[in-house]
Amino acid sequence: MSDHAEPHIAPLKTYLNVFAALMVLTVLTVWVALFDLGPFNVVVAVTIATVKAYIVILYFMHVKYSAKIIWLTAAAGFVWFILMLALTLADFATRGWLPIPEPW
Amino acid sequence: MSENAAKTENYLNVKHTVASWLFTVDHKRIGVMYLATILLFFFLGGVAAVLFRIELMTPTEMFMASETYNRLFTMHGITMIFFFLIPSIPAVLGNFLLPIMLGARDLAFPRLNLASWYVFTFGGLLGLGAIIFGGVDTGWTFYTPYSSTYANSNVILAALGIFVSGFASIMTGLNFIVTIHKMRAPGLTWFRLPLFVWAHYATSIIIVLGTPVIAITILLVAVERIFSVGIFDPALGGDPVLFQHLFWFYSHPAVYIMILPGMGVVSEIIACFSRKRIFGYHIVAMSSLAIAILGFFVWGHHMFVSSQSMYAGMIFSILSFLVAIPSAIKVFNWVATLYGGSIKLDTPMLYALGFIGLFTIGGLTGLFLATMAVNVHVHDTYFIVAHFHYVMVGGMVMAFFGGLHFWWPKITGKLFPEMLGRITAIIIFIGFNLTFFPQFIVGYLGMPRRYHVYPEEFQLLHVMSTGGAAVLALGYMLMGVYLLYSLILGPKASSNPWKAAGLEWTTPSPPPTENFLEPPVVKHEAYAYTEEDTYRDDAETKGDTHG
Ligand SMILES: [Cu+2]
């Protein structure tokens, strides 16, 4: 574990590559939106967005070059976000499972 | 600095100008500034409570319209939760004590600490502005659509105040985490840390992970109103229950932001006044972390009757039961600590014992509420009002005042009149129970919360409750008077008036600006009250100091 490591300076090329990847993924999002995939519309869009967020966190936010404790902190934020979505969706996804009772 | 000057110069008398306070980066002074600020909000929230408790003495409208009543209970809730309870122990006692308990000179980021006080005060002023310009009538929970489509009060200003003060919490939490990781004195391993520090570590994790969500939620309300994007408004394609999800994702863990530091305070007090090591130290420390993490999995128990899916309700109900386990671990371990201890019933101990009993009632009634079927019966009744006041006031406020008394000699360098302290603690305990126990009954009988006109048969219980509130208010005022007296005329305190263990008691009262006359080295664990504990050096307490 290198808590006191020198600040890492990534080569410009890395940033340009990341930028290009983000652009490609954005175009992909727009392109996919032209097709109706039914329930997978959201799944695909969110997956692409997650990959983009991951790249940003790793490279632009320098987590890739940071100490383990920074990894842990970033991962905690990410996991907590997923926790929030998952349990909220546990509500929204199962609301229709019970039939609405007939009025008396 | 000569030997003599070192003895008399402390953080309080080192400089006297107003600027020396407003621009200080000393964590002790910032803690004292926080104390003054939050006590102001405690007073405001208390005045609102007294007013509506008087109104509630009669079943019909006495001297305030429903509109005014709504604004008063909302003001009470907002000021007490966001501007008093959440910062109470962390920002005051935590700020003051954490670096000293770690043997450090200050927090890791002293300027960030000062900034947090300014940000908090600014947020508080916005909240105050909302009250002055006519108040808010949504209840402290800001449920949509009361707070969005149908808002007719100063919701935006109040929400902005909460949004801003949230950043102060985050700054404090971040500061604590880094300080605990990086600034422990030589020899102070993780398992030699006082439980107060463990509790603040767990609290800080909740603050850092949870507070951004309330900020985002408030922003989303603003985005919906300004840009008409459908988020919470069904007419635009949104869902009002989504607001409740996001709100409680923060606000349930916020309960633990409020109670965990109180548990830390109680652990310190119980150990000192039983002259014993806290029974099951490791598991008590770990249960703080367990509460911090599990606390994030339970928020849906606030939404059993809000059209949340029954299946989600079942998951949240089971998960809510789980949180009772680490909480019960703490209570049982405190009781086990008392067993066989040389117990002294001094003022801080009376508050700590009060905490254990009242928190247990508050926690157990939480289990009733986590049970879906019972919840339907008592939802939004006085039963829940009584439940959370047992946790927040019976728990947290008791712990806060217990801690304030315990460390008062350290903070101010003065002693308070002990006998008066004990009498006041008992008055507060009686007043509290008289106020809130009848609310369990009236709630169970069906009295809904947030109404000031009610069926006549509930009057007796409401009158008892109001009488209790008067006793409680008397207790708080008495405390204010003798603490003020102690501050000005109280006898000087020695460095360790309670004969307590802990680094903070090894330095003069009040401590010098740099906290210690010489940098401390820790050779034994936190609660070295007996010979055996002092020289206990089991495998776990060894190990490296930094990590
Ligand atoms: Cu809750």
Side-chain angles (χ1 to χ4, degrees), chain A residues 1 3-4 69 73 76-78 80-81 83-98, chain B residues 181-182 209 213 239 241-242 245-246 249 292-293 296-297 299 303 307-312 315-316 319 547:
Chain A
M1 184 165 132
D3 271 3
H4 305 285
I69 190 102
T73 311
F78 214 66
W80 248 243
F81 180 63
L83 167 76
M84 185 178 86
L85 290 185
L87 280 174
T88 303
L89 285 175
D91 169 20
F92 286 93
T94 61
R95 273 195 207 167
W97 285 11
L98 272 186
Chain B
H181 271 275
K182 293 288 176 191
L209 288 172
V213 177
D239 185 331
V241 177
L242 178 62
H245 276 294
L246 296 176
F249 182 86
I293 292 166
F296 275 100
F297 290 75
W299 77 83
M303 301 162 58
S307 88
Q308 176 183 242
S309 147
M310 195 190 75
Y311 299 98
I315 296 172
F316 281 123
L319 291 169

Side-chain angles (χ1 to χ4, degrees), chain B residues 248 252 255 298 301-302:
Chain B
W248 288 113
H252 183 84
V255 172
V298 302
H301 62 214
H302 295 269

Side-chain angles (χ1 to χ4, degrees), chain A:
Chain A
M1 184 165 132
S2 55
D3 271 3
H4 305 285
E6 296 287 301
H8 180 93
I9 299 166
L12 185 64
K13 200 165 155 252
T14 312
Y15 288 115
L16 291 176
N17 284 342
V18 171
F19 180 71
L22 290 173
M23 281 301 140
V24 169
L25 287 168
T26 306
V27 171
L28 190 67
T29 312
V30 175
W31 180 72
V32 165
L34 299 176
F35 304 94
D36 188 9
L37 304 172
F40 289 98
N41 280 335
V42 176
V43 177
V44 171
V46 170
T47 308
I48 297 175
T50 310
V51 172
K52 285 163 78 175
Y54 190 70
I55 299 177
V56 170
I57 292 169
L58 279 188
Y59 292 94
F60 284 170
M61 295 170 79
H62 281 240
V63 168
K64 191 171 192 301
Y65 316 109
S66 302
K68 288 250 169 38
I69 190 102
I70 308 282
W71 272 89
L72 188 68
T73 311
F78 214 66
V79 169
W80 248 243
F81 180 63
I82 289 169
L83 167 76
M84 185 178 86
L85 290 185
L87 280 174
T88 303
L89 285 175
D91 169 20
F92 286 93
T94 61
R95 273 195 207 167
W97 285 11
L98 272 186
I100 297 165
E102 293 288 315
W104 289 345

